[in-house]
PDB file of all heavy atoms in Angstrom:
ATOM      1  N   SER K 416      94.715 152.920 101.914  1.00 91.00           N
ATOM      2  CA  SER K 416      96.037 153.321 101.436  1.00 91.00           C
ATOM      3  C   SER K 416      95.923 154.603 100.629  1.00 91.00           C
ATOM      4  O   SER K 416      95.036 154.742  99.785  1.00 91.00           O
ATOM      5  CB  SER K 416      96.627 152.208 100.559  1.00 91.00           C
ATOM      6  OG  SER K 416      97.726 152.691  99.821  1.00 91.00           O
ATOM      7  N   SER K 417      96.824 155.527 100.886  1.00 91.00           N
ATOM      8  CA  SER K 417      96.833 156.756 100.085  1.00 91.00           C
ATOM      9  C   SER K 417      97.363 156.478  98.686  1.00 91.00           C
ATOM     10  O   SER K 417      97.209 157.289  97.784  1.00 91.00           O
ATOM     11  CB  SER K 417      97.698 157.813 100.771  1.00 91.00           C
ATOM     12  OG  SER K 417      99.019 157.322 100.912  1.00 91.00           O
ATOM     13  N   ILE K 418      97.968 155.342  98.518  1.00 91.00           N
ATOM     14  CA  ILE K 418      98.540 155.004  97.204  1.00 91.00           C
ATOM     15  C   ILE K 418      97.484 154.331  96.328  1.00 91.00           C
ATOM     16  O   ILE K 418      97.277 154.708  95.177  1.00 91.00           O
ATOM     17  CB  ILE K 418      99.758 154.080  97.366  1.00 91.00           C
ATOM     18  CG1 ILE K 418     100.855 154.808  98.144  1.00 91.00           C
ATOM     19  CG2 ILE K 418     100.271 153.600  96.012  1.00 91.00           C
ATOM     20  CD1 ILE K 418     102.006 153.923  98.570  1.00 91.00           C
ATOM     21  N   THR K 419      96.810 153.342  96.862  1.00 91.00           N
ATOM     22  CA  THR K 419      95.864 152.584  96.045  1.00 91.00           C
ATOM     23  C   THR K 419      94.441 153.115  96.154  1.00 91.00           C
ATOM     24  O   THR K 419      93.589 152.764  95.344  1.00 91.00           O
ATOM     25  CB  THR K 419      95.865 151.101  96.467  1.00 91.00           C
ATOM     26  OG1 THR K 419      95.448 151.017  97.830  1.00 91.00           O
ATOM     27  CG2 THR K 419      97.255 150.499  96.328  1.00 91.00           C
ATOM     28  N   GLY K 420      94.179 153.916  97.166  1.00 90.00           N
ATOM     29  CA  GLY K 420      92.838 154.473  97.324  1.00 90.00           C
ATOM     30  C   GLY K 420      91.882 153.532  98.020  1.00 90.00           C
ATOM     31  O   GLY K 420      90.744 153.897  98.313  1.00 90.00           O
ATOM     32  N   ASP K 421      92.314 152.318  98.261  1.00 92.00           N
ATOM     33  CA  ASP K 421      91.482 151.397  99.042  1.00 92.00           C
ATOM     34  C   ASP K 421      92.405 150.605  99.965  1.00 92.00           C
ATOM     35  O   ASP K 421      93.521 151.046 100.258  1.00 92.00           O
ATOM     36  CB  ASP K 421      90.630 150.488  98.137  1.00 92.00           C
ATOM     37  CG  ASP K 421      91.488 149.676  97.172  1.00 92.00           C
ATOM     38  OD1 ASP K 421      92.705 149.526  97.436  1.00 92.00           O
ATOM     39  OD2 ASP K 421      90.964 149.180  96.171  1.00 92.00           O
ATOM     40  N   MET K 422      91.960 149.441 100.391  1.00 92.00           N
ATOM     41  CA  MET K 422      92.760 148.711 101.375  1.00 92.00           C
ATOM     42  C   MET K 422      93.930 147.943 100.753  1.00 92.00           C
ATOM     43  O   MET K 422      94.807 147.464 101.459  1.00 92.00           O
ATOM     44  CB  MET K 422      91.871 147.774 102.195  1.00 92.00           C
ATOM     45  CG  MET K 422      91.120 146.748 101.382  1.00 92.00           C
ATOM     46  SD  MET K 422      90.232 145.560 102.434  1.00 92.00           S
ATOM     47  CE  MET K 422      89.069 146.596 103.272  1.00 92.00           C
ATOM     48  N   THR K 423      93.950 147.845  99.460  1.00 93.00           N
ATOM     49  CA  THR K 423      95.031 147.119  98.782  1.00 93.00           C
ATOM     50  C   THR K 423      96.392 147.670  99.200  1.00 93.00           C
ATOM     51  O   THR K 423      96.612 148.868  99.192  1.00 93.00           O
ATOM     52  CB  THR K 423      94.867 147.248  97.254  1.00 93.00           C
ATOM     53  OG1 THR K 423      93.628 146.659  96.880  1.00 93.00           O
ATOM     54  CG2 THR K 423      96.002 146.557  96.522  1.00 93.00           C
ATOM     55  N   GLY K 424      97.287 146.757  99.546  1.00 93.00           N
ATOM     56  CA  GLY K 424      98.641 147.163  99.902  1.00 93.00           C
ATOM     57  C   GLY K 424      98.810 147.518 101.362  1.00 93.00           C
ATOM     58  O   GLY K 424      99.904 147.872 101.798  1.00 93.00           O
ATOM     59  N   THR K 425      97.713 147.431 102.134  1.00 93.00           N
ATOM     60  CA  THR K 425      97.808 147.718 103.569  1.00 93.00           C
ATOM     61  C   THR K 425      97.478 146.428 104.330  1.00 93.00           C
ATOM     62  O   THR K 425      97.284 145.371 103.728  1.00 93.00           O
ATOM     63  CB  THR K 425      96.790 148.795 103.989  1.00 93.00           C
ATOM     64  OG1 THR K 425      95.463 148.230 103.885  1.00 93.00           O
ATOM     65  CG2 THR K 425      96.887 150.005 103.063  1.00 93.00           C
ATOM     66  N   ASP K 426      97.355 146.567 105.632  1.00 94.00           N
ATOM     67  CA  ASP K 426      96.872 145.434 106.422  1.00 94.00           C
ATOM     68  C   ASP K 426      95.356 145.266 106.258  1.00 94.00           C
ATOM     69  O   ASP K 426      94.771 144.351 106.833  1.00 94.00           O
ATOM     70  CB  ASP K 426      97.213 145.628 107.898  1.00 94.00           C
ATOM     71  CG  ASP K 426      98.602 145.085 108.202  1.00 94.00           C
ATOM     72  OD1 ASP K 426      99.224 144.530 107.277  1.00 94.00           O
ATOM     73  OD2 ASP K 426      99.062 145.248 109.348  1.00 94.00           O
ATOM     74  N   GLY K 427      94.737 146.179 105.550  1.00 94.00           N
ATOM     75  CA  GLY K 427      93.313 146.039 105.231  1.00 94.00           C
ATOM     76  C   GLY K 427      92.398 146.640 106.281  1.00 94.00           C
ATOM     77  O   GLY K 427      91.561 147.482 105.987  1.00 94.00           O
ATOM     78  N   TYR K 428      92.596 146.196 107.493  1.00 95.00           N
ATOM     79  CA  TYR K 428      91.723 146.662 108.578  1.00 95.00           C
ATOM     80  C   TYR K 428      92.326 146.212 109.894  1.00 95.00           C
ATOM     81  O   TYR K 428      93.198 145.344 109.942  1.00 95.00           O
ATOM     82  CB  TYR K 428      90.302 146.095 108.426  1.00 95.00           C
ATOM     83  CG  TYR K 428      90.272 144.603 108.189  1.00 95.00           C
ATOM     84  CD1 TYR K 428      90.306 143.687 109.242  1.00 95.00           C
ATOM     85  CD2 TYR K 428      90.250 144.092 106.893  1.00 95.00           C
ATOM     86  CE1 TYR K 428      90.309 142.327 109.021  1.00 95.00           C
ATOM     87  CE2 TYR K 428      90.258 142.728 106.662  1.00 95.00           C
ATOM     88  CZ  TYR K 428      90.287 141.851 107.740  1.00 95.00           C
ATOM     89  OH  TYR K 428      90.308 140.489 107.515  1.00 95.00           O
ATOM     90  N   ASN K 429      91.825 146.827 110.946  1.00 95.00           N
ATOM     91  CA  ASN K 429      92.202 146.400 112.287  1.00 95.00           C
ATOM     92  C   ASN K 429      91.031 145.615 112.877  1.00 95.00           C
ATOM     93  O   ASN K 429      89.867 145.973 112.665  1.00 95.00           O
ATOM     94  CB  ASN K 429      92.493 147.617 113.175  1.00 95.00           C
ATOM     95  CG  ASN K 429      93.734 148.346 112.711  1.00 95.00           C
ATOM     96  OD1 ASN K 429      94.763 147.719 112.448  1.00 95.00           O
ATOM     97  ND2 ASN K 429      93.640 149.662 112.572  1.00 95.00           N
ATOM     98  N   THR K 430      91.357 144.580 113.558  1.00 94.00           N
ATOM     99  CA  THR K 430      90.319 143.823 114.248  1.00 94.00           C
ATOM    100  C   THR K 430      90.911 143.212 115.506  1.00 94.00           C
ATOM    101  O   THR K 430      92.125 143.138 115.651  1.00 94.00           O
ATOM    102  CB  THR K 430      89.733 142.722 113.342  1.00 94.00           C
ATOM    103  OG1 THR K 430      88.587 142.147 113.968  1.00 94.00           O
ATOM    104  CG2 THR K 430      90.747 141.623 113.059  1.00 94.00           C
ATOM    105  N   SER K 431      90.058 142.844 116.403  1.00 93.00           N
ATOM    106  CA  SER K 431      90.500 142.177 117.623  1.00 93.00           C
ATOM    107  C   SER K 431      90.115 140.715 117.539  1.00 93.00           C
ATOM    108  O   SER K 431      89.064 140.370 116.978  1.00 93.00           O
ATOM    109  CB  SER K 431      89.829 142.800 118.854  1.00 93.00           C
ATOM    110  OG  SER K 431      90.089 144.175 118.890  1.00 93.00           O
ATOM    111  N   PHE K 432      90.947 139.899 118.110  1.00 93.00           N
ATOM    112  CA  PHE K 432      90.682 138.466 118.075  1.00 93.00           C
ATOM    113  C   PHE K 432      89.332 138.166 118.733  1.00 93.00           C
ATOM    114  O   PHE K 432      89.037 138.633 119.816  1.00 93.00           O
ATOM    115  CB  PHE K 432      91.796 137.705 118.785  1.00 93.00           C
ATOM    116  CG  PHE K 432      91.610 136.214 118.747  1.00 93.00           C
ATOM    117  CD1 PHE K 432      91.676 135.535 117.539  1.00 93.00           C
ATOM    118  CD2 PHE K 432      91.359 135.498 119.900  1.00 93.00           C
ATOM    119  CE1 PHE K 432      91.499 134.163 117.486  1.00 93.00           C
ATOM    120  CE2 PHE K 432      91.176 134.125 119.868  1.00 93.00           C
ATOM    121  CZ  PHE K 432      91.247 133.451 118.649  1.00 93.00           C
ATOM    122  N   PHE K 433      88.520 137.431 118.040  1.00 92.00           N
ATOM    123  CA  PHE K 433      87.187 137.021 118.475  1.00 92.00           C
ATOM    124  C   PHE K 433      86.216 138.202 118.610  1.00 92.00           C
ATOM    125  O   PHE K 433      85.236 138.123 119.341  1.00 92.00           O
ATOM    126  CB  PHE K 433      87.234 136.218 119.781  1.00 92.00           C
ATOM    127  CG  PHE K 433      86.395 134.974 119.682  1.00 92.00           C
ATOM    128  CD1 PHE K 433      86.896 133.830 119.074  1.00 92.00           C
ATOM    129  CD2 PHE K 433      85.095 134.958 120.147  1.00 92.00           C
ATOM    130  CE1 PHE K 433      86.111 132.693 118.943  1.00 92.00           C
ATOM    131  CE2 PHE K 433      84.307 133.824 120.025  1.00 92.00           C
ATOM    132  CZ  PHE K 433      84.813 132.693 119.419  1.00 92.00           C
ATOM    133  N   SER K 434      86.496 139.264 117.900  1.00 95.00           N
ATOM    134  CA  SER K 434      85.519 140.359 117.894  1.00 95.00           C
ATOM    135  C   SER K 434      84.309 139.942 117.052  1.00 95.00           C
ATOM    136  O   SER K 434      84.446 139.206 116.075  1.00 95.00           O
ATOM    137  CB  SER K 434      86.150 141.614 117.296  1.00 95.00           C
ATOM    138  OG  SER K 434      86.467 141.389 115.933  1.00 95.00           O
ATOM    139  N   ILE K 435      83.154 140.420 117.437  1.00 96.00           N
ATOM    140  CA  ILE K 435      81.922 140.064 116.722  1.00 96.00           C
ATOM    141  C   ILE K 435      81.272 141.347 116.229  1.00 96.00           C
ATOM    142  O   ILE K 435      81.019 142.271 117.008  1.00 96.00           O
ATOM    143  CB  ILE K 435      80.950 139.297 117.640  1.00 96.00           C
ATOM    144  CG1 ILE K 435      81.641 138.031 118.161  1.00 96.00           C
ATOM    145  CG2 ILE K 435      79.670 138.942 116.891  1.00 96.00           C
ATOM    146  CD1 ILE K 435      80.862 137.326 119.260  1.00 96.00           C
ATOM    147  N   GLY K 436      81.044 141.418 114.932  1.00 95.00           N
ATOM    148  CA  GLY K 436      80.457 142.614 114.344  1.00 95.00           C
ATOM    149  C   GLY K 436      78.948 142.633 114.454  1.00 95.00           C
ATOM    150  O   GLY K 436      78.315 141.690 114.947  1.00 95.00           O
ATOM    151  N   ASP K 437      78.359 143.720 113.966  1.00 95.00           N
ATOM    152  CA  ASP K 437      76.908 143.886 114.085  1.00 95.00           C
ATOM    153  C   ASP K 437      76.147 143.262 112.917  1.00 95.00           C
ATOM    154  O   ASP K 437      74.946 143.028 113.023  1.00 95.00           O
ATOM    155  CB  ASP K 437      76.570 145.384 114.138  1.00 95.00           C
ATOM    156  CG  ASP K 437      77.134 146.029 115.391  1.00 95.00           C
ATOM    157  OD1 ASP K 437      77.208 145.329 116.424  1.00 95.00           O
ATOM    158  OD2 ASP K 437      77.514 147.206 115.336  1.00 95.00           O
ATOM    159  N   LEU K 438      76.833 143.042 111.811  1.00 96.00           N
ATOM    160  CA  LEU K 438      76.112 142.604 110.611  1.00 96.00           C
ATOM    161  C   LEU K 438      75.801 141.107 110.675  1.00 96.00           C
ATOM    162  O   LEU K 438      76.703 140.268 110.781  1.00 96.00           O
ATOM    163  CB  LEU K 438      76.961 142.911 109.370  1.00 96.00           C
ATOM    164  CG  LEU K 438      76.292 142.622 108.029  1.00 96.00           C
ATOM    165  CD1 LEU K 438      75.045 143.476 107.848  1.00 96.00           C
ATOM    166  CD2 LEU K 438      77.271 142.855 106.886  1.00 96.00           C
ATOM    167  N   LEU K 439      74.522 140.816 110.588  1.00 97.00           N
ATOM    168  CA  LEU K 439      74.089 139.421 110.618  1.00 97.00           C
ATOM    169  C   LEU K 439      74.181 138.832 109.217  1.00 97.00           C
ATOM    170  O   LEU K 439      73.664 139.405 108.256  1.00 97.00           O
ATOM    171  CB  LEU K 439      72.643 139.357 111.129  1.00 97.00           C
ATOM    172  CG  LEU K 439      72.016 137.965 111.211  1.00 97.00           C
ATOM    173  CD1 LEU K 439      72.706 137.121 112.275  1.00 97.00           C
ATOM    174  CD2 LEU K 439      70.514 138.063 111.507  1.00 97.00           C
ATOM    175  N   TYR K 440      74.855 137.701 109.104  1.00 96.00           N
ATOM    176  CA  TYR K 440      74.940 137.010 107.822  1.00 96.00           C
ATOM    177  C   TYR K 440      73.812 135.968 107.710  1.00 96.00           C
ATOM    178  O   TYR K 440      73.207 135.807 106.664  1.00 96.00           O
ATOM    179  CB  TYR K 440      76.274 136.285 107.674  1.00 96.00           C
ATOM    180  CG  TYR K 440      77.495 137.162 107.571  1.00 96.00           C
ATOM    181  CD1 TYR K 440      78.771 136.588 107.595  1.00 96.00           C
ATOM    182  CD2 TYR K 440      77.405 138.550 107.441  1.00 96.00           C
ATOM    183  CE1 TYR K 440      79.918 137.361 107.482  1.00 96.00           C
ATOM    184  CE2 TYR K 440      78.543 139.330 107.348  1.00 96.00           C
ATOM    185  CZ  TYR K 440      79.793 138.730 107.376  1.00 96.00           C
ATOM    186  OH  TYR K 440      80.920 139.493 107.272  1.00 96.00           O
ATOM    187  N   TYR K 441      73.625 135.262 108.817  1.00 96.00           N
ATOM    188  CA  TYR K 441      72.713 134.116 108.729  1.00 96.00           C
ATOM    189  C   TYR K 441      72.289 133.689 110.126  1.00 96.00           C
ATOM    190  O   TYR K 441      73.087 133.732 111.066  1.00 96.00           O
ATOM    191  CB  TYR K 441      73.433 132.946 108.056  1.00 96.00           C
ATOM    192  CG  TYR K 441      72.576 131.745 107.795  1.00 96.00           C
ATOM    193  CD1 TYR K 441      71.648 131.739 106.763  1.00 96.00           C
ATOM    194  CD2 TYR K 441      72.699 130.595 108.564  1.00 96.00           C
ATOM    195  CE1 TYR K 441      70.866 130.614 106.510  1.00 96.00           C
ATOM    196  CE2 TYR K 441      71.924 129.473 108.322  1.00 96.00           C
ATOM    197  CZ  TYR K 441      71.004 129.488 107.289  1.00 96.00           C
ATOM    198  OH  TYR K 441      70.240 128.386 107.034  1.00 96.00           O
ATOM    199  N   GLN K 442      71.056 133.297 110.222  1.00 97.00           N
ATOM    200  CA  GLN K 442      70.575 132.727 111.486  1.00 97.00           C
ATOM    201  C   GLN K 442      69.520 131.688 111.164  1.00 97.00           C
ATOM    202  O   GLN K 442      68.685 131.892 110.280  1.00 97.00           O
ATOM    203  CB  GLN K 442      69.991 133.821 112.371  1.00 97.00           C
ATOM    204  CG  GLN K 442      69.502 133.297 113.707  1.00 97.00           C
ATOM    205  CD  GLN K 442      68.989 134.427 114.585  1.00 97.00           C
ATOM    206  OE1 GLN K 442      69.713 134.978 115.386  1.00 97.00           O
ATOM    207  NE2 GLN K 442      67.733 134.790 114.399  1.00 97.00           N
ATOM    208  N   ASP K 443      69.575 130.605 111.883  1.00 97.00           N
ATOM    209  CA  ASP K 443      68.626 129.525 111.627  1.00 97.00           C
ATOM    210  C   ASP K 443      68.246 128.905 112.964  1.00 97.00           C
ATOM    211  O   ASP K 443      69.104 128.401 113.695  1.00 97.00           O
ATOM    212  CB  ASP K 443      69.282 128.473 110.705  1.00 97.00           C
ATOM    213  CG  ASP K 443      68.315 127.350 110.324  1.00 97.00           C
ATOM    214  OD1 ASP K 443      67.121 127.446 110.655  1.00 97.00           O
ATOM    215  OD2 ASP K 443      68.777 126.376 109.694  1.00 97.00           O
ATOM    216  N   ILE K 444      66.967 128.987 113.292  1.00 97.00           N
ATOM    217  CA  ILE K 444      66.449 128.326 114.498  1.00 97.00           C
ATOM    218  C   ILE K 444      65.480 127.262 114.002  1.00 97.00           C
ATOM    219  O   ILE K 444      64.542 127.573 113.248  1.00 97.00           O
ATOM    220  CB  ILE K 444      65.696 129.314 115.413  1.00 97.00           C
ATOM    221  CG1 ILE K 444      66.578 130.537 115.715  1.00 97.00           C
ATOM    222  CG2 ILE K 444      65.254 128.627 116.698  1.00 97.00           C
ATOM    223  CD1 ILE K 444      65.810 131.692 116.315  1.00 97.00           C
ATOM    224  N   ASN K 445      65.711 126.041 114.366  1.00 97.00           N
ATOM    225  CA  ASN K 445      64.820 125.002 113.849  1.00 97.00           C
ATOM    226  C   ASN K 445      64.575 123.901 114.873  1.00 97.00           C
ATOM    227  O   ASN K 445      65.430 123.631 115.733  1.00 97.00           O
ATOM    228  CB  ASN K 445      65.372 124.409 112.544  1.00 97.00           C
ATOM    229  CG  ASN K 445      66.801 123.934 112.691  1.00 97.00           C
ATOM    230  OD1 ASN K 445      67.013 122.830 113.172  1.00 97.00           O
ATOM    231  ND2 ASN K 445      67.781 124.756 112.320  1.00 97.00           N
ATOM    232  N   VAL K 446      63.428 123.350 114.738  1.00 98.00           N
ATOM    233  CA  VAL K 446      63.008 122.267 115.644  1.00 98.00           C
ATOM    234  C   VAL K 446      62.413 121.154 114.790  1.00 98.00           C
ATOM    235  O   VAL K 446      61.649 121.416 113.853  1.00 98.00           O
ATOM    236  CB  VAL K 446      61.908 122.756 116.625  1.00 98.00           C
ATOM    237  CG1 VAL K 446      61.515 121.637 117.579  1.00 98.00           C
ATOM    238  CG2 VAL K 446      62.356 123.977 117.396  1.00 98.00           C
TER     239      VAL K 446
END
Side-chain angles (χ1 to χ4, degrees):
Chain K
S416 165
S417 59
I418 297 170
T419 62
D421 58 19
M422 59 174 63
T423 298
T425 69
D426 273 357
Y428 49 85
N429 293 313
T430 189
S431 304
F432 182 66
F433 227 82
S434 65
I435 302 170
D437 295 328
L438 185 62
L439 179 67
Y440 293 172
Y441 185 75
Q442 181 177 267
D443 184 7
I444 307 166
N445 53 82
V446 182

